[in-house]
Amino acid sequence: MGLKKLLISKILFVALLLLPIYSFAQGCFQSSILSPSPFMGNDGEIFKLDDGSMWEVKYEYEYLYEYYPSVVICPGKGKLIIGDKSLNVEMISSAGQKENGSPSSASTIESQIDGDFEGFEGETIIKLMNGQIWQQSEYWYHYHYSFMPKVLIYKQGGSYKIKVDGIDKSVGVIRLH
């Protein structure tokens, strides 16, 4: 019986050693999370990898508090591996799709709010440093003051959402100018 347990433990050990190699063979790659910092790993959190691609955490609540962590990302499986945790993720935009042009051609827009920001009031107008003007299209009230926070606007389905630094939730917006 002892020989059988030893054989099983050796097989498991080899399988665990080969798991990272198998993951990379399945279209996975190693990267680092550049923002936000710290990365929490909670549902709805938008994060940027060092290759410029943007991702969203789906249905997870981990509270990781990781600063610029190294990760393995598996786009085909919608998985992010960070340490001993595996999170469900969805790609928002791949590297090189960021643009500051018209929303019809841009997958993601990164900018800053021009001046004070006092949160969302239902139809909030948001002026960006890149000259664009957006309006809140999804009702949500949330007070949050910050001066010139960074924003990420990304396309989800047929509409756009804005993610303001310091606020966990993304809110639907439409472009006015």
Side-chain angles (χ1 to χ4, degrees):
M1 191 66 163
L3 184 60
K4 187 176 179 181
K5 283 184 179 180
L6 181 64
L7 182 61
I8 290 172
S9 66
K10 285 187 178 191
I11 290 171
L12 285 174
F13 179 74
V14 170
L16 287 173
L17 283 176
L18 294 176
L19 185 61
I21 296 168
Y22 177 76
S23 292
F24 283 102
Q26 297 300 313
C28 299
F29 62 94
Q30 191 152 8
S31 190
S32 295
I33 296 177
L34 297 181
S35 66
S37 191
F39 173 73
M40 301 296 286
N42 295 325
D43 185 54
E45 184 173 21
I46 308 290
F47 62 95
K48 182 177 184 178
L49 295 179
D50 61 7
D51 68 356
S53 62
M54 306 293 288
W55 298 78
E56 181 177 5
V57 177
K58 295 294 204 174
Y59 321 114
E60 303 285 351
Y61 295 93
E62 291 295 334
Y63 302 98
L64 298 171
Y65 292 96
E66 294 284 340
Y67 291 86
Y68 310 106
S70 291
V71 298
V72 172
I73 191 106
C74 303
K77 295 181 178 187
K79 294 289 183 187
L80 170 83
I81 301 166
I82 179 169
D84 61 350
K85 306 252 185 218
S86 174
L87 306 177
N88 293 308
V89 295
E90 181 178 292
M91 182 184 281
I92 293 173
S93 73
S94 60
Q97 285 187 330
K98 184 185 80 167
E99 224 177 271
N100 287 330
S102 69
S104 60
S105 63
S107 292
T108 63
I109 298 162
E110 293 180 69
S111 189
Q112 282 181 273
I113 291 178
D114 187 1
D116 292 333
F117 176 72
E118 295 185 9
F120 295 100
E121 297 177 353
E123 295 181 349
T124 304
I125 305 262
I126 302 162
K127 296 177 185 174
L128 302 180
M129 293 297 291
N130 66 7
Q132 295 178 357
I133 300 173
W134 294 78
Q135 183 173 18
Q136 179 182 354
S137 61
E138 170 187 349
Y139 183 79
W140 186 58
Y141 177 83
H142 178 78
Y143 180 80
H144 174 86
Y145 177 81
S146 58
F147 181 69
M148 297 181 67
K150 292 180 181 179
V151 297
L152 170 70
I153 298 174
Y154 60 96
K155 194 167 192 173
Q156 187 173 54
S159 61
Y160 284 86
K161 293 206 173 245
I162 189 168
K163 170 70 176 83
V164 178
D165 269 5
I167 298 177
D168 292 335
K169 179 180 169 75
S170 295
V171 177
V173 290
I174 56 171
R175 185 166 177 193
L176 300 178
H177 173 71

